[in-house]
Amino acid sequence: MKNIRNFCIIAHIDHGKSTLADRLLEFTGTISERQKQNQILDNMDLERERGITIKSHAIRMVYNFEGTEYYLNLIDTPGHVDFSYEVSRAIAACEGALLVVDATQGVQAQTISNLYLAMEHNLHIIPVLNKIDMDNAMPDEVGDQIVDLLGCKQDEIILASAKTGYGVDKILESIVKKINPPQGDINAPLQALIFDSVFNPFRGIIAYFRVFNGQIKTNDYVKFVATGKEYNADEIGFLGLNMEPVETVSAGEVGYIISGIKQAKEVKVGDTITHVDNPCEKGIAGFEDVKPMVFAGVYPVDADDYEELRSSMEKLQLNDASLTWEPESSIALGFGFRCGFLGLLHMEITQERLDREFDMDVITTVPNVMYRVFDTKGNIIEVHNPSGMPAPNYIDHVEEPYIMAQIITKTEYIGNVMKLVIEKRGILKNQVYLSSDRVELTCEMPLSEIVFDFYDKLKSISRGYASFDYYQSSFQKADLVRLDILLNGEMVDALSTLIHKGNAYEFGRKICVKLKELIPRQQFEIAIQAAIGSKIIARETIKPVRKDVTAKCYGGDITRKRKLLEKQKKGKKRMRQIGNVEVPQSAFMAVLKRD
């Protein structure tokens, strides 16, 4: 065990984690010249296209240092705020972390939040200053920021360039010298933490685990503590670039287990594996259950694909433990699921993965957050869906979730950022100058205001410099109303939203105008209305497509034309009573991107 090191890489998005992981794999000879490619651990096409890491990836490297072989288990982590749950899972399985900071951008919001996560788990932090080969790098200035943040000495910071490979040897040396080897008793009953799982269509579910105590051998009879299910360990092994089967995985090591599990719900991330005949006393205190921030309905485009969508969601949840869902139905869209996501990017990625990996065509409704409704009898109702909102006369008051947001930006953009926060009903709590030209703003905001487009607007007003991180802080009383969209007097429940009273008119007006553009013209008039309860606050009318019935009248009295037009008008009125308005998928998407 003294030759094993378990570590992860934490950083803000786009600070060079995946590139550094590539260099570490090359330097230790884990990948051959032939296997070399950029972002080698990012095995999803989506990750390569967008240049972001979505999944944590585990890999084992063998490193020779001063004549001794060391086994380094690296768990690469995502950087985006929407995937912080993945980061927490990786941190729970490690003893040390590389804190990577971009020398051209300095310490960002996500760097700080991931660092605090690592410190809570008592991980040893190795600071790495990346991208020092860039012309606009500021090693001294950013070095001072890291010293302020960590309280370390300037000479403890490793200067590196993941692109060129400079400093990678020093990083590996620090991992061996500074990160503690794992603690654990090899003779104690087996205790292994599942930190990830994937679905393989041929082998069933493959669980990735880290052994804390004891050891596991091939064909051992094991039990998953949380679910109580028992399995035979058909194959265990280490996670190289490909899976490497071995006979034994002992305390301190990271590996995988294949036991022919078919049902997705039988494997829970954070569960403990132990032996059936010699079980451990209690499971490992894993990481807490994920708290979804954003809720949206996901429906199949074709109603017959409902069961297929359910099995796709189960398989996707295996690979993405932060996704939560439950069945629901809608009058407009039929049967589907109400899903909980960590943020808007997470929702977009999930939709994209359903399409690519499972070939599922889905419609996603307007995202919303969870509200707490206090009714007149004193009961508390959790509302995830606007249609679940009780009638106004039964509501005493409504509370909405608030978040504490940390925004780090350059001082020249501070006025624009403050203006945006105040527009979104935010309150500025604190302002700290990290250096002469960088400032950290702490503000309290309603979560519902950042769900849509806050992050995009923040990036555009700060020209990409501002970074943003948040955590849920409390629930506060809110003046909310349910805004319904009516087509010819019929409510479209999929387009209903819960919104702050002050924003309702403007939002209702925008949706009506947008739907007028997107809904195709019919042979009858369509009235699009935005309503709060029985009060109509905005309206647009789509004129009918008309046949020129007066074309055959040339000359003669005007009453001949009028008679034909009246006859047509009656026909249109009859048609409107039985006419059905189809809302196209593009309309749902446009309401989502409400700009």
Side-chain angles (χ1 to χ4, degrees):
M1 264 166 70
K2 67 178 190 295
N3 294 348
I4 299 171
R5 301 287 183 274
N6 297 320
F7 70 100
C8 60
I9 304 177
I10 52 176
H12 189 79
I13 188 168
D14 210 20
H15 278 202
K17 294 179 300 300
S18 298
T19 316
L20 180 60
D22 292 350
R23 292 299 87 77
L24 292 172
L25 295 175
E26 282 170 23
F27 202 89
T28 54
T30 308
I31 53 172
S32 63
E33 200 66 40
R34 196 164 59 89
Q35 292 168 315
K36 274 186 193 173
Q37 60 170 326
N38 289 340
Q39 289 175 258
I40 192 152
L41 291 181
D42 293 351
N43 49 16
M44 260 185 251
D45 291 344
L46 210 52
E47 291 178 314
R48 294 181 179 287
E49 282 167 29
R50 292 183 176 231
I52 57 173
T53 302
I54 294 167
K55 285 287 301 161
S56 323
H57 296 276
I59 194 161
R60 169 185 156 104
M61 300 174 278
V62 181
Y63 174 54
N64 278 310
F65 179 65
E66 294 177 350
T68 311
E69 265 194 359
Y70 288 91
Y71 301 99
L72 313 180
N73 291 311
L74 157 68
I75 301 172
D76 183 26
T77 62
H80 195 280
V81 59
D82 279 13
F83 301 111
S84 54
Y85 185 62
E86 292 281 331
V87 183
S88 74
R89 291 158 47 183
I91 284 172
C94 296
E95 276 83 31
L98 297 179
L99 178 74
V100 178
V101 180
D102 187 334
T104 63
Q105 292 183 31
V107 171
Q108 304 274 307
Q110 202 60 37
T111 319
I112 297 172
S113 83
N114 285 347
L115 174 69
Y116 288 160
L117 251 177
M119 284 177 161
E120 276 172 28
H121 284 78
N122 297 324
L123 266 60
H124 182 89
I125 312 290
I126 298 173
V128 176
L129 194 54
N130 193 19
K131 304 192 187 181
I132 59 153
D133 59 319
M134 305 278 276
D135 295 337
N136 57 341
M138 310 170 288
D140 297 338
E141 200 178 308
V142 180
D144 291 341
Q145 290 174 19
I146 297 173
V147 169
D148 289 346
L149 187 65
L150 281 179
C152 61
K153 296 188 180 71
Q154 190 81 33
D155 57 359
E156 287 176 28
I157 300 168
I158 301 170
L159 301 179
S161 163
K163 193 173 172 185
T164 61
Y166 173 79
V168 173
D169 50 344
K170 286 186 185 153
I171 293 172
L172 285 163
E173 195 177 314
S174 292
I175 290 167
V176 169
K177 286 184 173 173
K178 293 183 179 171
I179 294 177
N180 297 324
Q183 303 296 314
D185 182 0
I186 203 163
N187 300 315
L190 173 66
Q191 221 181 9
L193 173 79
I194 299 175
F195 66 85
D196 205 354
S197 57
V198 291
F199 179 77
N200 183 309
F202 305 106
R203 311 289 309 265
I205 289 152
I206 303 169
Y208 297 161
F209 62 86
R210 147 86 201 268
V211 183
F212 281 89
N213 287 311
Q215 53 184 4
I216 180 170
K217 295 187 170 75
T218 307
N219 293 325
D220 274 359
Y221 199 43
V222 295
K223 178 171 125 180
F224 289 16
V225 174
T227 57
K229 302 275 187 189
E230 298 175 359
Y231 307 100
N232 203 41
D234 299 336
E235 185 185 306
I236 56 167
F238 296 130
L239 295 155
L241 199 56
N242 299 312
M243 293 182 185
E244 301 162 5
V246 291
E247 283 301 310
T248 310
V249 178
S250 304
E253 294 179 325
V254 174
Y256 69 88
I257 178 169
I258 299 174
S259 48
I261 305 169
K262 298 286 186 292
Q263 293 293 320
K265 50 181 169 289
E266 290 179 23
V267 178
K268 279 196 166 67
V269 170
D271 199 353
T272 305
I273 304 175
T274 189
H275 282 125
V276 172
D277 47 6
N278 183 19
C280 56
E281 286 176 19
K282 62 180 195 300
I284 298 161
F287 11 91
E288 70 284 356
D289 273 345
V290 61
K291 294 184 186 74
M293 293 285 197
V294 176
F295 296 88
V298 174
Y299 294 84
V301 171
D302 183 355
D304 296 343
D305 293 341
Y306 175 71
E307 281 304 323
E308 210 173 312
L309 179 60
R310 179 193 283 274
S311 73
S312 302
M313 296 284 265
E314 281 178 358
K315 288 170 188 169
L316 189 59
Q317 194 177 26
L318 253 191
N319 200 244
D320 178 1
S322 51
L323 174 69
T324 58
W325 51 272
E326 56 185 40
E328 73 162 7
S329 63
S330 147
I331 302 160
L333 298 169
F335 289 103
F337 300 96
R338 168 96 347 203
C339 301
F341 306 97
L342 298 182
L344 228 56
L345 177 73
H346 184 211
M347 174 174 153
E348 206 179 308
I349 294 289
T350 303
Q351 205 174 339
E352 191 92 9
R353 285 183 70 183
L354 281 169
D355 181 30
R356 290 189 186 203
E357 294 172 30
F358 305 101
D359 207 16
M360 289 304 307
D361 233 353
V362 294
I363 293 174
T364 313
T365 64
V366 181
N368 60 284
V369 298
M370 187 267 282
Y371 297 97
R372 287 208 304 223
V373 178
F374 291 76
D375 66 12
T376 45
K377 293 177 182 170
N379 301 322
I380 302 175
I381 307 159
E382 287 192 354
V383 175
H384 297 148
N385 189 349
S387 61
M389 195 78 159
N393 52 329
Y394 291 113
I395 297 173
D396 180 49
H397 68 277
V398 181
E399 289 186 351
E400 65 175 331
Y402 269 66
I403 55 156
M404 275 302 199
Q406 287 166 311
I407 302 168
I408 296 179
T409 181
K410 292 206 162 184
T411 41
E412 65 208 75
Y413 306 119
I414 190 168
N416 291 343
V417 172
M418 282 180 171
K419 187 173 164 219
L420 176 67
V421 168
I422 292 161
E423 264 174 28
K424 298 285 187 185
R425 300 192 284 133
I427 301 163
L428 292 158
K429 292 282 189 186
N430 197 5
Q431 180 179 331
V432 180
Y433 279 84
L434 302 171
S435 65
S436 59
D437 66 337
R438 289 172 80 250
V439 64
E440 180 186 9
L441 298 173
T442 306
C443 42
E444 192 172 36
M445 299 170 71
L447 178 61
S448 57
E449 292 289 342
I450 67 153
V451 159
F452 279 97
D453 50 6
F454 179 79
Y455 194 61
D456 298 343
K457 281 187 174 168
L458 180 69
K459 281 291 180 195
S460 55
I461 61 172
S462 65
R463 298 194 189 153
Y465 277 110
S467 63
F468 172 68
D469 183 50
Y470 63 87
Y471 61 89
Q472 195 171 333
S473 58
S474 61
F475 277 83
Q476 294 184 22
K477 218 169 184 176
D479 191 6
L480 293 172
V481 289
R482 187 174 105 186
L483 182 73
D484 294 323
I485 301 297
L486 312 175
L487 294 180
N488 277 349
E490 291 286 321
M491 188 180 117
V492 182
D493 60 349
L495 292 177
S496 296
T497 48
L498 293 170
I499 193 163
H500 191 261
K501 205 170 185 176
N503 303 339
Y505 171 73
E506 190 192 343
F507 185 51
R509 167 107 245 117
K510 270 185 184 172
I511 289 193
C512 289
V513 171
K514 200 78 189 169
L515 288 176
K516 185 181 178 181
E517 290 169 22
L518 292 160
I519 293 176
R521 286 172 76 186
Q522 308 286 340
Q523 291 191 337
F524 51 92
E525 186 180 276
I526 301 171
I528 303 168
Q529 296 165 311
I532 297 170
S534 56
K535 186 183 175 189
I536 306 294
I537 58 167
R539 173 182 169 131
E540 290 290 329
T541 307
I542 300 176
K543 294 292 179 207
V545 182
R546 307 188 79 128
K547 181 182 170 188
D548 189 0
V549 288
T550 60
K552 61 187 177 194
C553 300
Y554 43 93
D557 191 40
I558 186 71
T559 52
R560 289 183 62 203
K561 286 187 177 179
R562 213 166 268 156
K563 190 172 128 194
L564 288 167
L565 286 169
E566 282 300 321
K567 192 177 170 189
Q568 186 191 34
K569 194 174 172 184
K570 280 181 187 164
K572 295 284 179 202
K573 193 176 176 183
R574 233 184 4 258
M575 202 184 268
R576 183 180 169 180
Q577 286 167 357
I578 57 164
N580 191 8
V581 186
E582 289 286 318
V583 184
Q585 161 79 351
S586 55
F588 289 108
M589 296 313 291
V591 173
L592 196 60
K593 299 183 171 66
R594 58 176 170 176
D595 272 2

